[in-house]
Amino acid sequence: MICLASRSAGADVLSASRNDDKIAWYENDGGGSFGPQQVLTTQASGAAAVFATDLDGDSDADVLSTAMFDDTVAWFENLGGGSFGPPQIITNEALNVRGVFAADLDGDGDADVLSTSLSNGTIAWHENLGLGSFGPERTLMTGEPGASSVYATDLDLDGDVDVVSSSWGDGRVAWYDNLGGGSFGPKQVITTQVDNPYWVYATDLDGDGDADVLSSSDSDGKVAWYENRHPLGRLGTTYCAPAVINSTGQHGVISATGSHGVADNDLTLTAEQLPPSFGYFLAGQTQGFTNPPGSQGNICLMGDIGRYDEATDIIQGPTGEIQLDLTSIPVNPPTAILPGDTWNFQCWYRDNNPEPTSNFTDAVSLTFQ
């Protein structure tokens, strides 16, 4: 594995080589030329990954590494002038550890450390306590078969750093919403169609201002990308998309804006691309996928479903919206949303396509803070 480490003269190159247990770097001499190998260690048993960032707050780039065969995540302090200190162990209990990354996950201004473990499918992070000291393992997810790599960036444009991961065993690339304060929402699947995903990365590939996701796959030698369709300023994760086309020739869509903070009580649902008929919003805590009798579309909720079907809540025409009262969701009995709850929302509407029928928008899922 290789990684770039930036400095004023250009990006130097870091490497991890499994067969000789080596972590090394190569100085950028300029003009595309690099100096000889400079070894940090030859004792990283099964060296798998490296990353460079400032871990101790002294404004230079330190080095992170993983060693698969001794389950170790370690860091090397940058002493200046191209010299590095000995390995400092963050953990030696990350079973068959592979991926490593660092980003400010808890919003306190320093770089915390993420890692993935192949053997037990764990994605974990260690809080940076300052001055190169790290806290115990905090599990973000377990049971991800062959968790292979991890990356972190703001995917939903809410100002904090979310986490992207890949797992070999199920061909999955997924992401986890940063809810603030070191808490993360449930796994949100981007794809399950990657043949042994090896690495993930995220950056704005299409110039629309948000970070798209990249993956590389080991078995078929493929690099693929997934467009981030999270609209600026909108909340939650869309699922059951696209919805069944209605009589306008479009898919009905739902979005959520405002705040997912329960204390703010400021959440607005908007349904768009509807025919000129009536409809209402639905809410529930359990996702589903059913085609009800007489409907062209699919309801993507199940269990106890709340209906915003009071006269003041009914929507008419191609667009409708409602501001929710988070203290009283109309399930049976009416329920207040609590921090940490996940709720799902959708819109049902009448249509003539060409005979009288009904349809649904796609759905949106939100985890509240």
Side-chain angles (χ1 to χ4, degrees):
M1 188 258 185
I2 61 171
C3 175
L4 301 181
S6 296
R7 62 189 179 94
S8 58
D12 305 310
V13 174
L14 278 165
S15 66
S17 44
R18 186 183 309 172
N19 290 344
D20 60 4
D21 305 329
K22 187 183 292 181
I23 307 296
W25 73 284
Y26 306 82
E27 183 178 357
N28 189 333
D29 293 331
S33 176
F34 290 85
Q37 182 182 84
Q38 303 186 53
V39 176
L40 275 70
T41 184
T42 56
Q43 301 300 313
S45 182
V50 284
F51 187 72
T53 193
D54 182 10
L55 294 173
D56 53 6
D58 62 357
S59 300
D60 53 25
D62 309 300
V63 173
L64 277 165
S65 69
T66 57
M68 293 177 63
F69 302 151
D70 59 12
D71 308 326
T72 296
V73 180
W75 74 284
F76 302 81
E77 183 182 359
N78 190 331
L79 304 177
S83 296
F84 290 85
Q88 302 184 53
I89 305 301
I90 296 174
T91 181
N92 54 12
E93 298 180 351
L95 297 179
N96 206 205
V97 63
R98 188 177 181 279
V100 70
F101 194 77
D104 185 7
L105 300 177
D106 53 7
D108 63 355
D110 52 27
D112 309 299
V113 174
L114 281 156
S115 64
T116 59
S117 297
L118 288 171
S119 293
N120 60 6
T122 296
I123 303 167
W125 69 284
H126 296 262
E127 181 184 359
N128 190 330
L129 303 177
L131 301 176
S133 177
F134 292 87
E137 177 180 287
R138 301 174 67 171
T139 301
L140 196 152
M141 177 60 67
T142 59
E144 289 293 280
S148 54
S149 71
V150 67
Y151 190 81
T153 193
D154 185 5
L155 291 176
D156 54 6
L157 303 172
D158 63 354
D160 53 27
V161 177
D162 309 302
V163 173
V164 190
S165 70
S166 63
S167 48
W168 278 346
D170 55 8
R172 181 172 297 175
V173 176
W175 75 284
Y176 305 84
D177 185 16
N178 190 330
L179 304 178
S183 296
F184 291 85
K187 174 174 59 183
Q188 302 185 50
V189 176
I190 296 172
T191 182
T192 58
Q193 302 302 311
V194 184
D195 195 358
N196 284 1
Y198 205 71
W199 295 108
V200 287
Y201 187 76
T203 191
D204 185 7
L205 294 173
D206 52 8
D208 63 354
D210 54 28
D212 309 298
V213 173
L214 285 149
S215 68
S216 66
S217 40
D218 185 39
S219 295
D220 60 6
K222 185 182 294 181
V223 176
W225 73 285
Y226 314 89
E227 182 184 359
N228 188 338
R229 296 179 177 172
H230 196 293
L232 184 64
R234 297 187 180 184
L235 304 174
T237 300
T238 298
Y239 70 101
C240 275
V244 174
I245 292 175
N246 57 42
S247 60
T248 71
Q250 303 178 94
H251 312 278
V253 295
I254 189 173
S255 59
T257 56
S259 170
H260 46 40
V262 170
D264 297 332
N265 200 11
D266 176 21
L267 183 69
T268 298
L269 300 178
T270 302
E272 300 173 282
Q273 302 179 183
L274 308 182
S277 58
F278 77 94
Y280 50 79
F281 291 96
L282 307 171
Q285 289 193 275
T286 305
Q287 296 184 7
F289 187 84
T290 304
N291 179 234
S295 177
Q296 290 185 335
N298 303 299
I299 184 169
C300 298
L301 311 175
M302 62 184 298
D304 192 2
I305 299 174
R307 293 168 173 81
Y308 289 90
D309 55 3
E310 297 294 328
T312 54
D313 298 331
I314 296 295
I315 61 177
Q316 301 280 353
T319 301
E321 70 176 33
I322 184 174
Q323 184 165 4
L324 302 190
D325 178 5
L326 302 185
T327 68
S328 183
I329 303 299
V331 292
N332 186 23
T335 298
I337 293 178
L338 301 176
D341 284 353
T342 297
W343 283 80
N344 310 290
F345 303 95
Q346 194 173 16
C347 180
W348 171 92
Y349 58 92
R350 286 288 185 191
D351 196 8
N352 289 290
N353 194 27
E355 302 299 323
T357 183
S358 65
N359 206 335
F360 295 86
T361 64
D362 54 15
V364 63
S365 179
L366 288 89
T367 299
F368 290 85
Q369 300 178 9

